[in-house]
Structures are given as C-alpha cells and as structure tokens.
Amino acid sequence: MRARIAPELLRKHLEQIIDADNAAGKWGQLSPAECTSGQTPGTPRVHTRFPPEPNGYLHIGHAKSICLNYGLAEQFGGKFNLRFDDTNPSKEEQEYVDAIKEDVAWLGGAYEGKFGGGIFWASDYFAQMYAWAEELVTKGLAYVCDLNAEQMSQMRGDLKTPARSPHRERSPQESLDLLRRMKAGEFPDGAKTLRAKIDLASPNFVLRDPVMYRIVHAPHHNTGDAWCIYPMYDWAHCLEDSIEGITHSICTLEFRNNRPLYDWFIDAINQGRTADGSGKYATLVHHPQQIEFAKLKLTYTVMSKRFLLQIVKDGRVSGWDDPRMPTLRGMRRRGYTATSIRQLCKDVGVTTQDSVIDVGRLENCLRDELNKSAPRRMAVLRPLKLRIVNWGEGGAADRVEMMNAINNPEDQSAGTRPVAFTGELFIERDDFMENPPKKFFRLAPGAEVRLRYGYWVRCVDVVKDAAGNVTEVLCTYDPQTRGGDDPPPGPDGTVRKVKGTIHWVSATRNAKAEVRVFDRLFSAETPGERTGSFFDDLNPNSLEVLRDAVLEESLAQAKHGERFQFERLGYFCVDQDSRPGAVVFNRSVTLKDTWAKESAKDAGKPGAPAPQGSQPGAKK
Ligand code: ATP
Ligand code: MG
C-alpha cells in the first residue's frame, strides 16, 4: 500500500516548486519573441496546459484543473495552452470541441487572452511522434510485437512472475521494417503493436513493455486517412507536453504510476542527443516535470463522462446543459457564475490526498456571491388567492397602491422599486394552513401576518371548492400598517405584534412564469455505493416544473441569464427557453442549505430546521 500522503496544500507546494525552479533558472527565460500575450521578456518560463479529450462536455472537476493551470500561468506571468488530446481516431466531435473552447473561456481560462498560449491539437504532432518512435526502434528501445491484446494480457504476469514477450529480441532492423509496414497499412487491426522495451519484471506494471502504437484502420477527424496506426495515450501525452514546452505538467493522482514511464520515454528520445546537437540524434528534447494532484470529487455528484453521456442519451436529463448536470454548461444554465465556481476551486485548495467535498460548499459559494449582487423580487410559485374583504373601505375596491420595495438590503445603491398592491393577491399555498400546528406563524384562520412591503392582514374566512380544498383566503387589512409597518400603539398603550412576514404578488398586476425547481440529481451522498449502479441513486424528484407561478410585473421583461433573489425562496435565473410574455426561471440554489438542515434533523442535533412557521423573511 502506498504511504499516506500528507494533506499539504499542493498549490502552495506547487508555488514553492515553481519559485525554486525559477530561482535555479531551470526552464530558462521568456525571449521577447515568446511574449505574445502579456508576458514580460526575461520572466522565468512557466508554461501550463489543460489537455481535455474532446469526448464529452467539461464538468466541475475539469474546472479545478483549468483554474489551477491557468491560475499558475497568470500568477507567474507565463503561458497557458488549451490542448485537445485527440489521439483517438473517433468520429469528429466538433460539438465537444466547440463547447470545451467556450466553457474554458467562460470560466476564465484565457488560452487566447492574457497569458494565453493558444489552442493546440495532439493530432498535429502525429508525424513528430512517429519519427521519435522510429528513433527508439533504431536505438533498440522499442520493438514490434505480434501478440494480440488477449495474448498480451495473458502474458502480463503478476507481481511474482514477469511478463513474457516472444518478440522482444527482434532486431531493430526487423522491427523498423515491420513498423513501416504497419504504418503502410499492411496488417489488420490489432495484428501487431509497437512496444517500448523497458522491463518485463517491473513491479510497476505500466513499465512492462507498454504499447506505444496500435493498428486502427479508421479515419481521424484531423488527419483523415493519413494514419492507420495511432499512438497510445501514455506515449502521446508526454510528447505533447514536450513539444509545447510545457514546464509543469500537472495531472491527477492516478497518473502517479505513469510518471516513470513518461520520464523513460523522454529520456529514451534524448539518448544519443546533446544540447548542441553534436550527438548522433540532433538536439535534446524538452523534458517537462509532472506533478500530480487530487481530483475534485463532490458529494451527490457523478463526474464520469461515460455515465453523463448515458443519461443524456437515455433522456434522463434534457441534455448536457440540463441545469441538474455537473457540467459547466448545466451549471451555467442553472445560474452558476464563473466566479462562484472559481471560488470553490480556490476554497478547496489543491491537495495530494483524495477527499470528497460537500457539494453544499459549492452552493454556498453561489449564495455568498448572489446575496451581494442579486436584486430582490417577489414571486409566488404555488399561488393561493388572498382577497382583502375591506379593501373598498380605504377607497375604491379596485384601486392599486404602489408600494416601495428595497432592491437589495446588502447594497444601498440598488435603491427601491414600486410594487403594485391590490385587493386581490396571491400568496404561497404553503403560507396558509387551515389547521396549523403550534408555532406556525404564517396565515391561518384568525391569525394576522405582515405582507412584506404591503399591509398587515388577518384571515377572517376561507372559500372552498366542492372537494373541500381552500381556494381563497379572505382577509381584512389594517390601513395603519402601510408598507408593512407596525401599527401605532392602541389607546391603552398596547402594542400589536405579528410573528410572520410572508411575500405576495398582486393577482391583477403580475407576470406569469414557468419556474423550474431543481433538486440534486442524486439522492445518495455517494452515488452508486449501495448497489454498484449510479442509476439506482438518481433522484426521481430532481425536477419540478411550476407552470402557474406569478411574479412581480417588472419580471415580464427579465432577460436570459439575469439573476434574482425571490424573497424567501432562493436565487433564480432566467432560462434560455424564455420568450417574450412567457418567462422561464430556473432555481439556481435555495436560500439556505436545506439538505444540511435535513441531516441535522435526522440526527436530532441542534440546528435542525425550525418549525415552518418561524420566519426566514425578516421584518422590513
Ligand atoms: P476520461 O478519463 O474519460 O478521459 P477525464 O475526466 O480524465 O475523463 P480528460 O478530458 O482527459 O477527461 O480531462 C482533462 C483534464 O482534466 C485532465 O488533465 C484531467 O486530469 C483533468 N480532470 C479530469 N477530472 C478531474 C477532476 N475531477 N478534478 C480535477 N481535474 C480533473
Ligand atoms: Mg483523461
């Protein structure tokens, strides 16, 4: 078993490595010609990259890698490349390529902006990679093997037994001839491979003569029919970094065992080379330094691209950009900002130890940001009619009073807005109970509440349908409470109090909307743990579409992407499906972490949710 790695903050560790490298002049300095995107000539070279395979959309895990790699380039005045690791001859997935470019830029990974190094394609290096492969064969460091995949796996040995490879002693001349014939298309798929000649007895199985090239007769989206042999990931990846002059090749922990292999490949190429090119094989190639860090893992979240693709294909979600998906697309549509995602990546730091982060921390990053920036509005998601029976007493029964509502208590400069108050209103169905339990401080027969920014109202009666459901709540209002203010003390000095404040929307002056309320995609903290299948833990109630929601009038004009806090309900943003007159809102996040409260309740701990009646919406 591997020794436990100290949970040091790798970011700091990385910074120290880079500082030390820079002090020692390890990677040289940027020449004026290299300073193409905001760098200063003479700055020690720091070059990072984000190397996605274009076979899916980016998710929140990738965000961590982008933030780390771009962040270091920015911090040290270096360069950051976006490189598509397209060594697999799969059909062209232009859709993924386009989405990745856009998502990286959205998140702030400025591959073409300041400190950007540009966009690169691994497939552009196929010819160079092949030339180096021939060189390794010539040096006796690689050979063509006739075993097929099944035979190779049968001969791979175990910890006590070395692997076997009957063609290992083939002469370089014979291997070179076979490699060229492989490349020329003489052999069928899988008939031969090119293998590195390293160590069949190595306890690190990655070093047991790994395959460098395989035969695949398939066209490639970039190189077309030019190749029928394709480089394996391990051979390709370290060469891509070398070719681009990547200094710090940052990858996730599972590649720790591959590091000796990458080092071996580069050293093998450099065998017989010299700095000035006076050796047999030209000049030395660049040897990047690999550094590993722990993947970002979140509770209630699955990041496997295969699984995400499956639920998209199966129609379990509406697409890669479904707001419940952990993809950057989905999160953006749900209302996540790039800043909140970057904040999470910063908060969790970079470690060398695998750990699972509470998804609540991600949600908190968004709440913290939107609490400061999102304008407040009132919206009723599940409307129940409230009629003020004495509204006629203070003037015409159809009169409209404009109330003054604060736009953002966290931001004085956001000012106030007028909201229409009328004799018929909508309140949240949940805010009324005919037979309330104790401590239900909202509306109930005989009870009085404050309508935020409106008036105090007391429930005097209800109207029911044939089935006995309450369809209307009848109230009286107190004209002395305009704006929701406390009434003056009574003649005997008594002060009237209300415990509850609820929100409302005029029944005659409003905007209708569809509101999509999301919950977590998985109901288990560690999806798949119970049965071994992620599917078994999909939350069947992760989406609720509320088609009868009513909002403050002004929201009829809300634009795609705009974000608001709906008082007492959470943060919401306008979805791309919105049309003039038919606004669609997504709930980005609730106001409080309801899941944390639920688990506290389960555990019977203090901090369990207060009974429904206690008011989150404070006094005004
Ligand atoms: P696959 O193994 O299916 O290719 P992947 O998530 O590794 O999936 P890549 O496109 O290879 O997909 O990932 C691009 C980069 O993102 C890699 O450098 C990888 O290390 C990094 N990365 C992927 N997942 C995470 C994660 N959860 N946390 C941090 N970095 C990640
Ligand atoms: Mg990968």
Side-chain angles (χ1 to χ4, degrees):
M1 238 180 79
R2 207 193 301 141
R4 198 163 173 273
I5 303 151
E8 82 271 27
L9 275 184
L10 185 68
R11 170 76 193 239
K12 193 136 187 287
H13 179 61
L14 267 170
E15 288 165 9
Q16 284 165 357
I17 292 177
I18 297 176
D19 276 337
D21 288 349
N22 290 352
K26 180 169 176 181
W27 306 111
Q29 296 175 344
L30 289 169
S31 67
E34 286 173 298
C35 297
T36 50
S37 52
Q39 300 82 1
T40 311
T43 305
R45 194 177 279 116
V46 174
H47 204 151
T48 59
R49 86 292 183 256
F50 172 65
E53 198 179 330
N55 61 353
Y57 282 69
L58 299 184
H59 53 60
I60 176 80
H62 295 120
K64 180 166 172 180
S65 175
I66 297 165
C67 289
L68 177 60
N69 281 292
Y70 180 74
L72 290 170
E74 186 181 38
Q75 181 179 346
F76 289 93
K79 283 193 179 186
F80 166 77
N81 291 3
L82 170 60
R83 179 203 311 139
F84 287 102
D85 207 338
D86 61 343
T87 49
N88 264 332
S90 48
K91 69 178 166 47
E92 175 163 15
E93 296 288 4
Q94 192 59 40
E95 176 195 349
Y96 297 137
V97 169
D98 292 343
I100 290 171
K101 282 188 202 169
E102 200 182 291
D103 288 350
V104 174
W106 174 75
L107 190 66
Y111 50 89
E112 280 178 328
K114 200 158 185 210
F115 307 119
I119 299 185
F120 299 86
W121 301 85
S123 56
D124 285 343
Y125 311 141
F126 281 172
Q128 175 65 77
M129 289 173 184
Y130 178 77
W132 281 332
E134 281 205 356
E135 193 178 311
L136 260 59
V137 173
T138 314
K139 291 174 183 171
L141 297 173
Y143 60 96
V144 169
C145 175
D146 301 351
L147 298 180
N148 60 32
E150 199 188 325
Q151 293 165 324
M152 209 179 286
S153 110
Q154 278 164 5
M155 294 187 198
R156 73 194 286 267
D158 53 35
L159 273 178
K160 293 199 186 101
T161 329
R164 283 179 295 130
S165 171
H167 312 104
R168 196 167 204 252
E169 299 313 325
R170 230 170 210 157
S171 70
Q173 291 80 349
E174 189 186 352
S175 277
L176 190 60
D177 174 59
L178 286 170
L179 176 61
R180 288 180 176 166
R181 287 166 58 197
M182 278 167 65
K183 177 172 176 277
E186 275 190 39
F187 308 109
D189 285 5
K192 295 190 191 310
T193 57
L194 180 73
R195 294 176 72 174
K197 193 170 178 177
I198 307 180
D199 180 2
L200 289 176
S202 175
N204 181 355
F205 278 56
V206 165
L207 298 177
R208 291 191 172 188
D209 288 12
V211 173
M212 296 162 63
Y213 276 93
R214 62 200 166 123
I215 304 174
V216 185
H217 290 268
H220 184 279
H221 75 93
N222 182 22
T223 55
D225 291 324
W227 298 88
C228 62
I229 58 171
Y230 289 95
M232 299 299 287
Y233 179 87
D234 281 335
W235 166 244
H237 199 74
C238 54
L239 304 188
E240 294 157 22
D241 283 343
S242 171
I243 291 169
E244 288 171 25
I246 301 303
T247 54
H248 302 86
S249 169
I250 300 167
C251 66
T252 46
L253 285 182
E254 70 269 25
F255 292 99
R256 187 172 284 244
N257 284 342
N258 304 53
R259 181 169 9 124
L261 176 57
Y262 299 155
D263 288 339
W264 189 92
F265 278 140
I266 301 284
D267 289 342
I269 294 171
N270 277 338
Q271 198 175 307
R273 290 169 179 258
T274 52
D276 60 4
S278 60
K280 188 171 171 198
Y281 297 100
T283 53
L284 291 169
V285 303
H286 171 74
H287 192 150
Q289 174 175 359
Q290 173 169 309
I291 305 168
E292 304 91 11
F293 74 100
K295 276 194 164 174
L296 174 66
K297 293 181 184 160
L298 294 173
T299 56
Y300 297 99
T301 309
V302 171
M303 294 185 205
S304 150
K305 279 194 226 169
R306 252 183 63 199
F307 173 79
L308 296 178
L309 177 62
Q310 198 59 48
I311 57 173
V312 169
K313 278 190 175 156
D314 292 353
R316 304 257 193 151
V317 290
S318 64
W320 285 98
D321 67 346
D322 186 298
R324 292 166 292 176
M325 292 280 272
T327 51
L328 295 182
R329 286 282 147 131
M331 294 177 65
R332 169 150 50 134
R333 184 164 177 190
R334 180 155 175 167
Y336 271 88
T337 58
T339 340
S340 62
I341 297 174
R342 287 201 300 265
Q343 189 61 43
L344 176 84
C345 295
K346 198 168 159 202
D347 285 357
V348 301
V350 184
T351 64
T352 50
Q353 192 167 21
D354 268 324
S355 66
V356 183
I357 305 294
D358 181 354
V359 71
R361 288 178 69 178
L362 171 66
E363 294 165 351
N364 273 335
C365 289
L366 184 63
R367 281 189 194 104
D368 287 349
E369 179 181 341
L370 295 183
N371 180 44
K372 291 183 204 104
S373 62
R376 274 50 167 176
R377 293 291 182 267
M378 288 199 283
V380 173
L381 302 189
R382 298 169 184 85
L384 173 64
K385 179 77 76 67
L386 182 155
R387 185 146 53 90
I388 301 177
V389 292
N390 61 338
W391 189 241
E393 287 169 17
D398 61 354
R399 77 182 188 282
V400 177
E401 286 190 25
M402 297 314 287
M403 300 298 185
N404 226 11
I406 295 170
N407 281 332
N408 187 351
E410 302 286 319
D411 176 8
Q412 286 278 311
S413 69
T416 60
R417 69 188 183 282
V419 182
F421 190 97
T422 51
E424 288 197 0
L425 308 168
F426 287 118
I427 60 166
E428 213 64 67
R429 195 157 271 283
D430 278 1
D431 282 339
F432 174 80
M433 279 186 93
E434 203 181 1
N435 300 299
K438 257 191 176 171
K439 295 198 172 168
F440 181 83
F441 296 128
R442 292 170 280 170
L443 209 50
E448 186 169 39
V449 294
R450 181 199 320 267
L451 295 178
R452 187 147 166 85
Y453 304 123
Y455 282 102
W456 289 25
V457 293
R458 184 182 298 279
C459 172
V460 292
D461 204 354
V462 294
V463 178
K464 292 184 182 179
D465 64 11
N469 302 311
V470 174
T471 54
E472 232 178 283
V473 179
L474 306 183
C475 292
T476 54
Y477 85 111
D478 178 351
Q480 297 197 82
T481 57
R482 195 173 195 283
D485 287 349
D486 290 359
D492 54 355
T494 51
V495 181
R496 221 161 86 231
K497 292 249 183 244
V498 279
K499 284 207 168 125
T501 298
I502 64 175
H503 62 275
W504 51 274
V505 167
S506 163
T508 45
R509 296 268 304 260
N510 60 45
K512 304 274 184 295
E514 174 179 317
V515 177
R516 299 172 185 168
V517 173
F518 307 103
D519 202 343
R520 292 180 181 160
L521 192 52
F522 292 94
S523 38
E525 186 172 309
T526 311
E529 194 180 44
R530 242 172 354 111
T531 65
S533 163
F534 295 141
F535 290 96
D536 294 334
D537 289 322
L538 277 169
N539 175 3
N541 304 315
S542 56
L543 170 65
E544 191 183 358
V545 180
L546 302 167
R547 296 202 163 79
D548 301 319
V550 284
L551 322 172
E552 275 182 36
E553 268 173 312
S554 63
L555 290 174
Q557 270 80 49
K559 301 274 178 308
H560 173 209
E562 277 190 283
R563 298 177 177 86
F564 299 93
Q565 184 195 101
F566 290 169
E567 300 229 7
R568 297 176 64 225
L569 298 174
Y571 295 97
F572 293 74
C573 80
V574 182
D575 189 77
Q576 65 198 38
D577 288 344
S578 277
R579 298 286 170 268
V583 196
V584 179
F585 272 93
N586 294 325
R587 186 173 74 189
S588 312
V589 67
T590 52
L591 284 183
K592 295 214 169 99
D593 186 348
T594 47
W595 283 65
K597 284 197 285 183
E598 281 304 314
S599 38
K601 184 169 68 176
D602 290 349
K605 285 184 205 144
Q612 293 245 293
S614 66
Q615 262 318 306
K619 293 167 61 156
K620 59 167 256 169

